[in-house]
């Protein structure tokens, strides 16, 4: 999972904070958990696979981070509630939530089944809502303080080739803006980050030619790293971002501004 990442932020920045990071066993989620933990936060990570979250938790502990981990299916409100209750029993509070869990697969819309579309939307949109609502109502609204950061995707020009996750992530983008207004009175800030193509264990499952295509149409001519995303998430989760809410920050090497991966043939 890489060497220890040297954060740009001051040591102890998150002392006294408790952060839940969904999908914290690998990739961006693990990088975020590691950085927040290194800066003093107590960390709770979850995922659907016990082996992955347990292994990640063990590694975080070797770095001196206090960690709670558990299996959680964010698509199921009962599973989410049980996990959040377990975190509160262990740490008595949750002040930061990073909604990172999600997944998708590349496919042309015409070949996507209703079941496939629904599966991705349930995971990426409804799952994010389930966790957000449980954490806010159980922990943040009662304490009148919280930071929520949603990890979505680069969707500024649609998402040809992944209409299912494009729809879901656009939904989360709107949820971000809506809750930023509704929950401002509760002292909760809600923001999002929209990564481009990031080199992780998740993208390793994509065809190499697809990843090379994304690199070709990115102005900076490379893929991003989990740590680069974590740096922005950490800022938004911190008190330094107290006057920032309802915003989505693109971390995509300029891909949202230039380049077209989806080829449209000339009419015949």
């Amino acid at each position: 999972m890489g060497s220890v990442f040297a954060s740009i932020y001051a040591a102890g920045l998150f002392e006294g904070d408790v952060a839940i990071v969904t999908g914290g066993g690998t990739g961006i989620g693990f990088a975020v958990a590691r950085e927040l933990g290194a800066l003093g936060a107590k960390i709770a990570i979850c995922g659907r696979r016990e082996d992955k979250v347990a292994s990640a938790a063990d590694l975080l502990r070797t770095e001196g981070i206090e960690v709670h981990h558990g299996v959680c299916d964010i698509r199921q409100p009962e599973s989410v509630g049980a996990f959040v209750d377990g975190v509160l029993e262990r740490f008595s509070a949750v002040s930061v939530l990073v909604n990172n869990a999600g997944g998708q697969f590349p496919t042309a819309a015409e070949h996507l089944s209703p079941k496939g579309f629904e599966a991705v939307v349930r995971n990426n949109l409804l799952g994010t809502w389930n966790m957000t609502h449980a954490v806010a109502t159980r922990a943040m609204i009662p304490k009148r303080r919280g930071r929520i950061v949603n990890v979505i995707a680069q969707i500024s020009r649609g998402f040809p080739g992944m209409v299912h996750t494009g729809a879901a992530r656009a939904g989360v983008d709107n949820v971000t803006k809506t809750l930023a207004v509704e929950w401002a009175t509760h002292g909760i800030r809600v923001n999002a980050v929209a990564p481009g193509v990031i080199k992780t264990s998740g993208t390793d499952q994509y065809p190499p030619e697809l990843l090379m295509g994304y690199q070709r149409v990115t102005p900076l001519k490379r893929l991003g790293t989990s740590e680069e995303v974590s740096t922005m998430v950490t800022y938004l989760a911190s008190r330094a971002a107290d006057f920032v809410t309802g915003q989505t920050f693109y971390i995509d090497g300029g891909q949202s501004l230039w380049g077209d991966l989806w080829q449209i043939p000339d009419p015949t």
Side-chain angles (χ1 to χ4, degrees), residues 6-95:
S7 176
I8 65 172
Y9 300 107
L13 181 63
F14 287 90
E15 288 288 347
D17 280 304
V18 177
I20 288 178
V21 183
T22 68
T26 58
I28 293 171
F30 180 79
V32 170
R34 194 180 212 176
E35 186 161 12
L36 294 177
L39 295 171
K42 296 175 182 177
I43 300 297
I45 60 174
C46 65
R48 278 188 275 176
R49 290 183 52 180
E50 167 67 24
D51 57 335
K52 285 188 176 182
V53 291
S55 176
D58 287 343
L59 182 52
L60 293 172
R61 291 185 187 105
T62 66
E63 298 178 2
I65 297 169
E66 189 172 354
V67 186
H68 173 85
H69 75 277
V71 174
C72 179
D73 184 347
I74 60 171
R75 300 170 299 180
Q76 303 296 333
E78 299 81 7
S79 180
V80 170
F83 175 74
V84 174
D85 287 344
V87 176
L88 291 173
E89 184 177 347
R90 171 80 181 272
F91 294 136
S92 302
V94 178
S95 51

Side-chain angles (χ1 to χ4, degrees), residues 23-259:
T26 58
I28 293 171
F30 180 79
V32 170
R34 194 180 212 176
E35 186 161 12
L36 294 177
L39 295 171
K42 296 175 182 177
I43 300 297
I45 60 174
C46 65
R48 278 188 275 176
R49 290 183 52 180
E50 167 67 24
D51 57 335
K52 285 188 176 182
V53 291
S55 176
D58 287 343
L59 182 52
L60 293 172
R61 291 185 187 105
T62 66
E63 298 178 2
I65 297 169
E66 189 172 354
V67 186
H68 173 85
H69 75 277
V71 174
C72 179
D73 184 347
I74 60 171
R75 300 170 299 180
Q76 303 296 333
E78 299 81 7
S79 180
V80 170
F83 175 74
V84 174
D85 287 344
V87 176
L88 291 173
E89 184 177 347
R90 171 80 181 272
F91 294 136
S92 302
V94 178
S95 51
V96 174
L97 168 62
V98 180
N99 282 309
N100 167 75
Q104 54 273 320
F105 52 91
T107 181
E110 64 203 81
H111 303 308
L112 178 61
S113 69
K115 183 177 179 181
F117 186 92
E118 180 184 0
V120 172
V121 171
R122 282 188 65 209
N123 199 33
N124 295 355
L125 176 55
L126 296 182
T128 296
W129 168 250
N130 290 338
M131 183 63 70
T132 298
H133 188 265
V135 170
T137 56
R138 286 167 163 84
M140 293 181 175
I141 291 174
K143 293 291 182 68
R144 302 189 64 78
R145 179 180 178 271
R147 300 289 185 272
I148 299 171
V149 185
N150 297 318
V151 180
I152 58 170
Q154 196 284 91
I155 54 170
S156 65
R157 296 185 293 165
F159 209 149
M162 293 197 204
V163 65
H164 42 20
T165 202
R169 307 299 191 173
V172 176
D173 182 67
N174 193 275
V175 167
T176 299
K177 293 175 172 62
T178 300
L179 296 184
V181 175
E182 288 196 24
W183 290 352
T185 189
H186 301 305
I188 298 173
R189 309 293 184 263
V190 189
N191 291 288
V193 296
V197 182
I198 307 299
K199 186 66 174 173
T200 67
S201 58
T203 54
D204 284 346
Q205 301 174 38
Y206 292 178
E209 60 272 16
L210 181 62
L211 296 178
M212 288 298 296
Y214 277 118
Q215 185 168 311
R216 177 177 51 81
V217 299
T218 298
L220 295 187
K221 298 297 181 180
R222 68 174 177 87
L223 306 182
T225 68
S226 297
E227 289 77 13
E228 287 171 317
V229 180
S230 177
T231 296
M232 178 59 79
V233 172
T234 298
Y235 164 68
L236 293 172
S238 76
R239 293 172 179 81
D242 193 62
F243 201 56
V244 180
T245 196
Q247 305 304 307
T248 296
F249 294 84
Y250 281 75
I251 309 167
D252 66 351
Q255 185 194 352
S256 54
L257 303 173
W258 178 84

